[in-house]
Amino acid sequence: MSRHRAHDYRHLIRRWRAVARAAGLVMRPFARSGEHRVYWLRSPRLPKTGAVYLSAGIHGDEPGATEGLVAWAEGNVRSLRARPFVIFPCLNPWGLLNNSRLNADHHDLNRQFHHDADSMIRALKQLIAGHWFSVALTLHEDYDGQGVYIYEVKRRAPFWAEDLLEIARPILPIEGRTKIDGRASRSGIVRPKINPKKFPMLPEAVWLHLHHSERTFTIETPSEFALDARIAAHAAIITECVRRSPALSTINSQPSTIPPPSAPPTS
Ligand SMILES: [Zn+2]
């Protein structure tokens, strides 16, 4: 079964090429990771506001995330045509190949968004400059996880995380821990207000919240559980977030400046 070649980056990219062909997406390399190219995909018509941002694989030891994203894409070619997307299938190919959270330089890329020292992150920021996404999902896994859980950055009510977890509940248990990485968690939801001063080492999701996205979620599946269930949980949550995002036909595609977030980032 091809889906179990979860650390085979070349195979992952072949699957994405097939998705890009089927859905009419533009797929390009934009950076390097060791000897490998890092790719992104985007809709051919990409309005400055309202697209969906999806990324996985910034931590290479979380294959349920990269596999979940490609499995979702393979099953949702029509959605990929009907809505605008920016997709990063695997931000740390070296890590995926080596089953490593870190990149080849031993950096946790998800703590590097506060500066431009890393060439991949610098290039990613240039690609999305000027874009305001309706929703951004960063897909992860947690080897301490006892179930699926979600970080939803607090900006815009009504919040979505409760509904998203209900969709995952038939697939995986919901995380029961009340503290995750030092943050209070309730019924699988961590809903922080962001104070950038408390994030000297910015993760991707916080960067997106501060500069690029109306709604920002980090989805975490428990990486000691069965891979098929983790893939299915990611795919189901992506499906629901995409369903709630605006269709291309309803987005004004005129060139526009970024609107301010509906509430200013807390400082
Ligand atoms: Zn992670």
Side-chain angles (χ1 to χ4, degrees):
M1 285 286 288
S2 61
R3 63 163 41 173
H4 296 297
R5 298 167 65 180
H7 288 278
D8 182 343
Y9 181 66
R10 282 168 179 274
H11 182 60
L12 180 71
I13 291 306
R14 275 199 295 276
R15 291 172 70 186
W16 276 104
R17 283 196 198 287
V19 166
R21 269 195 303 277
L25 300 176
V26 179
M27 179 168 172
R28 298 271 185 273
F30 72 96
R32 298 196 75 85
S33 167
E35 66 212 57
H36 301 278
R37 292 182 161 133
V38 190
Y39 289 88
W40 75 307
L41 295 91
R42 66 171 186 84
S43 302
R45 244 183 82 205
L46 185 62
K48 289 282 187 190
T49 65
V52 174
Y53 176 107
L54 302 170
S55 93
I58 197 167
H59 293 145
D61 57 345
E62 302 174 3
T66 40
E67 292 290 299
L69 182 52
V70 74
W72 168 81
E74 288 169 339
N76 289 277
V77 167
R78 274 178 59 190
S79 288
L80 286 166
R81 288 186 176 277
R83 289 177 163 78
F85 288 91
V86 167
I87 301 173
F88 294 95
C90 181
L91 287 173
N92 180 7
W94 185 91
L96 187 73
L97 284 158
N98 290 279
N99 195 28
S100 167
R101 178 181 175 91
L102 309 178
N103 73 355
D105 301 325
H106 307 293
H107 291 142
D108 183 339
L109 290 168
N110 204 30
R111 300 290 183 273
Q112 301 286 322
F113 279 73
H114 54 290
H115 60 190
D116 287 339
D118 183 86
S119 58
M120 184 281 289
I121 289 171
R122 197 164 60 236
L124 183 155
K125 288 178 177 177
Q126 285 168 3
L127 293 177
I128 64 171
H131 283 272
W132 186 256
F133 302 108
S134 58
V135 54
L137 295 185
T138 66
L139 307 178
H140 285 259
E141 299 205 279
D142 182 348
Y143 55 80
D144 291 326
Q146 301 298 310
V148 58
Y149 63 94
I150 297 178
Y151 292 90
E152 176 171 26
V153 180
K154 220 175 217 174
R155 170 151 29 230
R156 184 167 168 180
F159 300 121
W160 290 4
E162 283 82 356
D163 293 350
L164 299 180
L165 281 179
E166 280 312 307
I167 284 161
R169 191 186 293 276
I171 306 167
L172 278 174
I174 306 303
E175 174 63 63
R177 284 178 292 165
T178 54
K179 206 154 211 189
I180 298 172
D181 278 343
R183 291 180 176 279
S185 163
R186 236 180 106 234
S187 309
I189 298 171
V190 185
R191 193 173 276 135
K193 262 194 169 172
I194 297 297
N195 177 352
K197 291 194 190 102
K198 292 196 178 156
F199 286 93
M201 313 276 274
L202 270 195
E204 180 188 13
V206 176
W207 170 263
L208 290 166
H209 167 74
L210 293 174
H211 302 288
H212 290 287
S213 55
E214 188 68 22
R215 293 179 181 275
T216 312
F217 300 92
T218 298
I219 312 300
E220 299 269 2
T221 50
S223 56
E224 294 297 313
F225 286 54
L227 180 60
D228 282 351
R230 289 142 53 200
I231 292 170
H234 278 289
I237 290 171
I238 299 166
T239 299
E240 179 61 15
C241 288
V242 167
R243 191 184 70 75
R244 294 177 178 212
S245 69
L248 202 44
S249 56
T250 67
I251 298 173
N252 181 350
S253 60
Q254 297 302 310
S256 61
T257 53
I258 315 182
S262 57
T266 50
S267 57

